[in-house]
Amino acid sequence: MSLSARERILSGVELALGFPPRDQTILAARGQEHVPWLPAEEPWEPLQKELEALSAVFHRVEKKEQFPGVLVGILEKHGARSALVWEHPLLEALGVGGLLRGAAVEVLAPTGAEGFVGQVAGADLGITAAECAIVESGALMVRASQGWPRAASLLPPVHVAILTARQRLRTVGDLVPLWRQWLSSQGRLPSGIHLITGPSRTADIELTLVLGAHGPKVLHVVALDPGAIPEST
Amino acid sequence: MLVRSLEFKQRAQEALQDERLQRNLERIGVRFKLGRDLAFAALEDPEGLRNLGRAIKERSLANLPLLLETLEARVKEAGGVVHWARNAKEACTIVCDLARERGVRTVVKGKSMVTEEIALNQALQAQGVEVWETDLGEFIIQLAGEPPSHIIGPAVHKSKDQIAELFAEKLGVERVEAPEELTRIAREKLREKFLGADMGITGANAAVAETGSIVLLENEGNIRLSVTLPRIHVALVGIEKVIPTLDDLAVILALLPRSATGQKLSSYTSIITGPRRPGELDGPEEFHLILLDNGRSRILADPDRRQSLFCLRCGSCLNVCPVYRKVGGHSYGWVYSGPIGAVLTPQLVPPRLARDLPFASTLCGACAEVCPVKIELPKLLLTMRQRLTEDPNFDGGIPLMMRLAARAHGWLLTRPALYRLAMDGARLASRFLARDGRWSWLPPPVSRWASKRQVPSLARPFSRVWPSVQRKLMQGGDGS
Amino acid sequence: MKVALFVPCIVQDFHPQVAEATAMVLARAGMDVSYPKGQTCCGQLQYKSGNWKSARKVARHFIEVFQDSEAVVAPSGSCVSMVRKYYPELFRDKAHWRDRAQELGKRVFELTEFLVQVAQVEDLGAKWEAKAVYHDSCQVYRALGIHKEPRVLLSRVRGLELVEMDQADVCCGFGGSFSLQFPAVSEAMVAEKVSHILATGAELLVSAEISCLMNIGGYLRKQGHRVEALHIAELLARGGE
């Protein structure tokens, strides 16, 4: 449907004054959707530093062949016996399902939304991909979608997030164009967007820091160098 | 929540004598203030960011109707339901009716000041609904039957052995004192509740009109659990929380965690847009947004008081307030404490019930220095004092004697000769009442002041000393 | 330069020596000092207690007393911030008085800010052998932004060892009527301030605000501590040539 000049002008004025434009396609037209992804060759150190300061565990994977060892190492470290895994192209391309089964870890495969939570509540580990990471703060962004349950990064005591070198942004402000892309292509944002900055924590008892209040106690970030990213993704 | 702000002095007295509270208040003051200062110092342009924050709030409030309507439209497009509540009663009715209609038996709650404002828990409990506060600090005070004492750390007034005692008694667990152990107990107990809850209730740190989203910041994960596991999510949001766009959200996300706890970002920042979409395995089936007025549109109407609504509820003004750091949150007697509490309470509850709060400040200005959205808190405190004293609409019930005394003093000050006469009279009287600079009698409340501090005696006024000073200056000497 | 002395009401009747010291210091800095008669008070008590109608009357009187003065100097941050910041607020809806208030605000100075920024004199030839600590009173520091001027002046006092205390810029708990209306809290605040002062081992407490000195100094004396509380004017007036 082509919008009248009236609608377009009003959208432009709204955008200019900092108000939500009635026509979201103007965002693309005005270049509000250029996402400043960091180059894949950027060193990992700054992000790694932030993550470790948050008590997250950082694993760098330089070559494809190293990935299985890293994942199995995490599984063994936690004595995991069951895992809730996203149905995600990156995880599939990395062969996560097969690696888990090979390590005798049950991959919880719920049959649908009905009773889903009850079936996965006992998972030892949750494995997800990340939409991106914010270098300035060490945050990882995940979003809710079909096959990408929120529970995977929330219920189990351990969360493993897999990130590639092509998915890094500098600041939270850099997320805005990405969100705007989603807005103008889907018409709305995902039902849930979560910025995860380290494991769960609290200082409510005498200001003493304790990890793992309600969410995961441990966060593993598996960072794939360009050379470790499967071609198909 | 019941208003007990008239008990400020008594409660403050008790707080001053509570050594444990004093130690905890000192630690919050130091830890949170330092954290906040370090976080802001690391920014390239902290002042610029605060200015942006304020500008966003000004722009949002100036265009509130448009933003609220846009928010409503977008939430509906995303499959959510929007309700409008003029006051506490309407808001509670909406939630209670919904709970009844949907057969809700258990509710899990994220920390929300607005739900305390409207006493939502009690309303739900009255109809037999089990309500569980899930933020660890809120969980603790819920078990203890106490109100929160700090915006960010509601249970900071409690020691670990008090909490150990509480858990042992109320949860029937073995008594342990280590914070890790206590946290684990709460995690396990509440995990059961999350898994069995029918409804999750939260507030929101912000609502983005552009996308119809609400934004929730937390460190524990209890809010995420509350908005992921139960089949219904209800979010109660004050109308002043709406901001226009995602760009504005990025600024708020830069300001709020740094101001509250000195973190660059909270552990979890959730941006929720409607209920789960078809095909999703988890997330609520229903999303209800309740927009609450409860006195806010009246504050908005007064341009001098409007900036009271800018508040992000970060708690940084509490952390630096020298008065809060001595008396703690319970002294303020209601939901909001510290400088912002002193300003908001008499505007949200009948002024007579909170008339002392704006006066319980030395106007030192430390709060204004740290407010992320540059609310001019000392100015608001002074404005509230004037409203309570002189504005009939704000009948604060300030004692007539106090007003007359200030006016009589003011009257004298515009008549120099009479003022001088009055002071000469006082000086004469003091000859009989003071010896060697020590007074034998003083009127209360000056006598109380004098019990801890030496009061100076009245001296020969400078205006009479001036001629001799003038002579000294003219002699080219300067007294040295 | 002609400078009119603005003597805060507390100084007028309780600590006139501070006004005398202020006059001396200004003269030593080369100023031609006068004392306009008829001055009484800036009206902050009325303003801060919410009695703005009465405060306006006192403010109008003040504005008239000082209307012909080239520069007005007071040894008090709270009085100066009242005139500079709050008079225009008080007269917001009365254009004529608001303009006069704003214009006057440009000519009214706190003593240390005047000396360093206007008179551009830092060394007044003062001399005082002691270990001293300076309290940043809220109205001087936050309301007027004056932080380094007093320290610059103190650094030139011969024989003075200036040390910094912990939390030097935290309120002493006076707050005018606050200390009378909420005495227990005020006492807790001044007790904490005093503990920081004592921890420095200083013999002298200096401030640019008379009310803080009355509060902290009064407490020090009553509790029997040997720390002397002095206004910075008194310190600067001593011992020079």
Side-chain angles (χ1 to χ4, degrees):
Chain A
M1 184 194 97
S2 88
L3 282 165
S4 63
R6 175 182 183 275
E7 296 301 300
R8 282 185 215 264
I9 291 173
L10 286 170
S11 291
V13 170
E14 281 159 348
L15 191 64
L17 293 178
F19 292 109
R22 61 191 65 200
D23 164 31
Q24 271 151 0
T25 64
I26 197 174
L27 302 172
R30 294 277 177 104
Q32 291 234 342
E33 292 180 12
H34 166 72
V35 185
W37 297 108
L38 292 176
E41 309 76 52
E42 277 271 321
W44 284 107
E45 278 73 33
L47 178 62
Q48 175 174 8
K49 189 157 161 263
E50 288 299 320
L51 286 167
E52 287 174 351
L54 293 163
S55 305
V57 187
F58 183 82
H59 310 265
R60 181 181 174 184
V61 179
E62 294 177 66
K63 294 200 272 276
K64 279 200 275 281
E65 305 80 65
Q66 292 168 339
F67 177 77
V70 169
L71 182 61
V72 172
I74 294 172
L75 298 171
E76 284 173 0
K77 177 175 166 105
H78 294 288
R81 283 187 309 235
S82 62
L84 174 58
V85 186
W86 273 10
E87 280 170 36
H88 188 285
L90 178 63
L91 303 184
E92 271 147 31
L94 289 166
V96 169
L99 289 168
L100 287 166
R101 279 183 285 271
V105 177
E106 182 195 352
V107 178
L108 296 170
T111 45
E114 190 67 41
F116 166 75
V117 173
Q119 290 168 40
V120 305
D124 295 321
L125 212 78
I127 307 181
T128 72
E131 272 318 299
C132 69
I134 308 293
V135 175
E136 180 200 48
S137 47
L140 298 169
M141 180 166 74
V142 298
R143 69 179 154 101
S145 185
Q146 276 194 46
W148 300 357
R150 299 148 168 84
S153 63
L154 178 60
L155 285 183
V158 180
H159 172 209
V160 181
I162 304 179
L163 175 78
T164 74
R166 293 194 208 119
Q167 293 169 281
R168 291 171 295 169
L169 293 169
R170 206 167 295 285
T171 69
V172 168
D174 294 339
L175 283 171
V176 178
L178 179 59
W179 291 336
R180 292 237 161 92
Q181 264 182 10
W182 292 348
L183 262 188
S184 66
S185 63
Q186 319 289 338
R188 49 193 176 160
L189 286 182
S191 55
I193 295 172
H194 303 279
L195 300 179
I196 297 172
T197 315
S200 149
R201 65 192 63 222
T202 183
D204 275 344
I205 297 177
E206 285 200 354
L207 295 185
T208 310
L209 183 64
V210 175
L211 297 179
H214 291 288
K217 192 167 176 172
V218 187
L219 170 64
H220 289 274
V221 179
V222 179
L224 304 181
D225 272 12
I229 304 175
E231 285 93 33
S232 51
T233 48
Chain B
M1 190 174 139
L2 224 52
V3 187
R4 295 198 203 276
S5 311
L6 288 173
E7 294 168 28
F8 182 89
K9 276 172 88 157
Q10 288 139 260
R11 289 165 164 239
Q13 187 84 283
E14 284 160 25
L16 288 169
Q17 280 151 4
D18 182 342
E19 276 178 35
R20 187 147 36 200
L21 175 66
Q22 291 298 312
R23 269 201 305 274
N24 286 347
L25 286 173
E26 163 115 27
R27 286 169 73 195
I28 302 175
V30 171
R31 175 95 67 94
F32 284 144
K33 176 177 193 323
L34 191 62
R36 179 258 172 215
D37 286 347
L38 286 173
F40 272 81
L43 288 168
E44 220 177 275
D45 184 7
E47 276 316 287
L49 193 64
R50 291 172 72 213
N51 288 332
L52 275 179
R54 185 177 165 108
I56 289 169
K57 285 291 171 176
E58 280 171 347
R59 190 157 45 89
S60 303
L61 292 183
N63 294 278
L64 202 53
L66 166 70
L67 294 181
L68 288 172
E69 286 181 311
T70 307
L71 176 71
E72 177 186 44
R74 298 278 144 86
V75 169
K76 284 176 163 166
E77 276 162 27
V81 180
V82 179
H83 311 258
W84 300 75
R86 283 175 295 180
N87 51 43
K89 187 155 179 283
E90 283 188 7
C92 287
T93 303
I94 292 167
V95 182
C96 288
D97 285 352
L98 186 63
R100 194 181 312 114
E101 285 157 30
R102 301 286 193 273
V104 169
R105 285 199 305 252
T106 311
V107 164
V108 285
K109 276 186 76 220
K111 182 154 64 76
S112 160
M113 317 235 54
V114 104
T115 62
E116 311 249 7
E117 226 183 278
I118 65 174
L120 180 60
N121 292 11
Q122 289 87 310
L124 284 166
Q125 284 157 346
Q127 64 178 47
V129 177
E130 232 183 74
V131 179
W132 290 89
E133 290 289 348
T134 61
D135 170 272
L136 180 58
E138 290 283 339
F139 177 62
I140 290 168
I141 60 178
Q142 183 182 38
L143 288 176
E146 291 174 26
S149 65
H150 187 282
I151 287 178
I152 299 300
V156 284
H157 58 291
K158 288 204 148 344
S159 69
K160 52 184 195 270
D161 52 84
Q162 282 174 319
I163 297 169
E165 196 60 55
L166 190 64
F167 278 17
E169 188 198 336
K170 301 279 176 150
L171 302 175
V173 296
E174 189 198 323
R175 199 196 135 110
V176 289
E177 250 181 52
E180 292 80 12
E181 288 301 304
L182 291 166
T183 304
R184 187 187 47 79
I185 291 171
R187 181 195 172 100
E188 281 166 14
K189 177 73 186 182
L190 288 169
R191 186 55 73 97
E192 266 172 52
K193 299 299 166 189
F194 283 124
L195 290 169
D198 308 296
M199 178 189 272
I201 300 179
T202 68
N205 295 99
V208 184
E210 177 179 6
T211 57
S213 311
I214 60 156
V215 184
L216 294 156
L217 274 62
E218 58 164 332
N219 283 310
E220 296 179 16
N222 60 300
I223 292 183
R224 281 183 69 195
L225 284 164
S226 303
V227 307
T228 297
L229 300 181
R231 57 193 155 86
I232 306 169
H233 172 201
V234 175
L236 274 119
V237 182
I239 53 175
E240 85 283 14
K241 291 289 185 75
V242 148
I243 55 176
T245 67
L246 291 167
D247 296 287
D248 301 318
L249 177 62
V251 174
I252 302 297
L253 290 180
L255 284 169
L256 185 46
R258 286 182 170 91
S259 300
T261 52
Q263 292 170 286
K264 285 186 232 189
L265 277 180
S266 312
S267 297
Y268 303 116
T269 304
S270 301
I271 302 169
I272 308 289
T273 310
R276 67 163 82 166
R277 303 278 158 81
E280 284 175 14
L281 293 165
D282 55 14
E285 287 157 24
E286 289 181 57
F287 172 71
H288 294 259
L289 173 65
I290 304 179
L291 293 168
L292 179 70
D293 185 338
N294 208 29
R296 288 153 172 76
S297 55
R298 263 178 285 129
I299 299 176
L300 192 63
D302 183 344
D304 291 331
R305 296 186 283 125
R306 187 173 298 167
Q307 56 177 328
S308 315
L309 296 176
F310 291 1
C311 180
L312 296 180
R313 308 287 192 266
C314 71
S316 57
C317 59
L318 275 66
N319 296 334
V320 299
C321 175
V323 173
Y324 176 88
R325 280 166 63 170
K326 286 274 170 279
V327 306
H330 286 166
S331 298
Y332 294 78
W334 202 52
V335 182
Y336 305 107
S337 54
I340 193 63
V343 161
L344 276 178
T345 308
Q347 298 185 80
L348 292 175
V349 309
R352 273 194 176 245
L353 295 180
R355 64 168 176 257
D356 291 336
L357 295 185
F359 292 90
S361 160
T362 59
L363 300 173
C364 79
C367 47
E369 279 191 323
V370 297
C371 178
V373 288
K374 290 192 142 179
I375 299 172
E376 296 163 292
L377 282 157
K379 199 166 168 190
L380 282 173
L381 287 161
L382 285 163
T383 301
M384 288 312 299
R385 291 180 185 189
Q386 187 271 337
R387 296 291 190 276
L388 290 164
T389 305
E390 292 184 331
D391 188 340
N393 292 324
F394 247 97
D395 178 25
I398 307 284
L400 184 64
M401 276 320 292
M402 283 181 60
R403 283 181 281 141
L404 286 180
R407 299 214 295 248
H409 178 237
W411 184 85
L412 273 180
L413 291 174
T414 57
R415 289 159 177 77
L418 282 176
Y419 181 69
R420 187 41 43 210
L421 200 64
M423 292 311 285
D424 284 346
R427 191 158 158 238
L428 189 64
S430 79
R431 288 237 181 86
F432 300 99
L433 294 171
R435 197 138 307 166
D436 302 326
R438 281 161 206 278
W439 295 76
S440 59
W441 180 85
L442 284 164
V446 185
S447 53
R448 168 67 197 256
W449 206 88
S451 67
K452 293 283 193 297
R453 305 171 190 73
Q454 185 156 31
V455 180
S457 43
L458 284 154
R460 188 148 177 263
F462 180 75
S463 53
R464 295 217 183 94
V465 177
W466 168 244
S468 66
V469 174
Q470 209 173 14
R471 274 194 298 276
K472 278 190 226 171
L473 295 181
M474 286 201 293
Q475 281 155 18
D478 46 11
S480 46
Chain C
M1 184 180 184
K2 292 199 172 68
V3 170
L5 264 182
F6 158 25
V7 180
C9 57
I10 300 180
V11 170
Q12 176 76 242
D13 281 288
F14 292 95
H15 301 280
Q17 77 278 12
V18 172
E20 183 170 345
T22 304
M24 303 294 206
V25 163
L26 287 167
R28 207 181 293 164
M31 303 296 131
D32 176 0
V33 184
S34 66
Y35 173 69
K37 286 214 157 68
Q39 56 177 280
T40 50
C41 177
C42 64
Q44 63 172 291
L45 195 146
Q46 280 67 30
Y47 181 66
K48 290 176 182 173
S49 62
N51 292 281
W52 291 10
K53 287 195 201 111
S54 175
R56 279 183 201 106
K57 297 190 177 120
V58 180
R60 280 194 281 262
H61 176 79
F62 182 98
I63 292 172
E64 308 219 275
V65 167
F66 288 100
Q67 79 181 356
D68 296 322
S69 310
E70 193 182 325
V72 180
V73 177
S76 160
S78 62
C79 303
V80 171
S81 74
M82 179 67 203
V83 175
R84 205 186 277 170
K85 289 177 66 162
Y86 297 124
Y87 277 14
E89 275 304 307
L90 267 181
F91 295 115
R92 203 177 45 183
D93 301 326
K94 299 180 192 327
H96 167 70
W97 282 102
R98 186 193 59 223
D99 292 341
R100 287 179 76 177
Q102 263 158 356
E103 191 281 322
L104 175 62
K106 298 197 190 110
R107 297 181 273 126
V108 175
F109 302 94
E110 182 273 335
L111 176 64
T112 66
E113 114 187 289
F114 182 81
L115 288 171
V116 175
Q117 292 180 22
V118 181
Q120 306 202 330
V121 172
E122 291 176 10
D123 186 346
L124 290 142
K127 194 159 65 183
W128 196 310
E129 293 249 350
K131 190 173 181 188
V133 69
Y134 175 75
H135 163 67
D136 282 290
S137 77
C138 304
Q139 298 301 317
V140 172
Y141 176 43
R142 281 187 208 90
L144 296 174
I146 297 167
H147 180 67
K148 59 175 171 48
E149 290 83 344
R151 288 176 171 81
V152 160
L153 292 164
L154 289 171
S155 72
R156 309 299 209 108
V157 177
R158 290 150 187 73
L160 195 75
E161 185 198 342
L162 186 64
V163 293
E164 292 289 340
M165 61 174 147
D166 249 357
Q167 302 190 34
D169 62 356
V170 172
C171 183
C172 72
F174 182 64
S177 58
F178 174 84
S179 60
L180 296 174
Q181 206 179 342
F182 303 97
V185 186
S186 174
E187 280 153 27
M189 289 166 74
V190 74
E192 185 169 328
K193 174 62 64 173
V194 164
S195 73
H196 292 302
I197 292 170
L198 294 175
T200 63
E203 315 151 67
L204 206 58
L205 164 73
V206 189
S207 176
E209 186 66 53
I210 193 64
S211 25
C212 300
L213 285 168
M214 228 171 55
N215 183 38
I216 310 173
Y219 190 84
L220 282 165
R221 235 166 277 132
K222 185 89 181 187
Q223 304 295 317
H225 298 295
R226 304 242 300 279
V227 179
E228 200 182 341
L230 269 191
H231 191 282
I232 194 171
E234 296 176 272
L235 192 60
L236 295 174
R238 262 261 292 250
E241 256 65 80

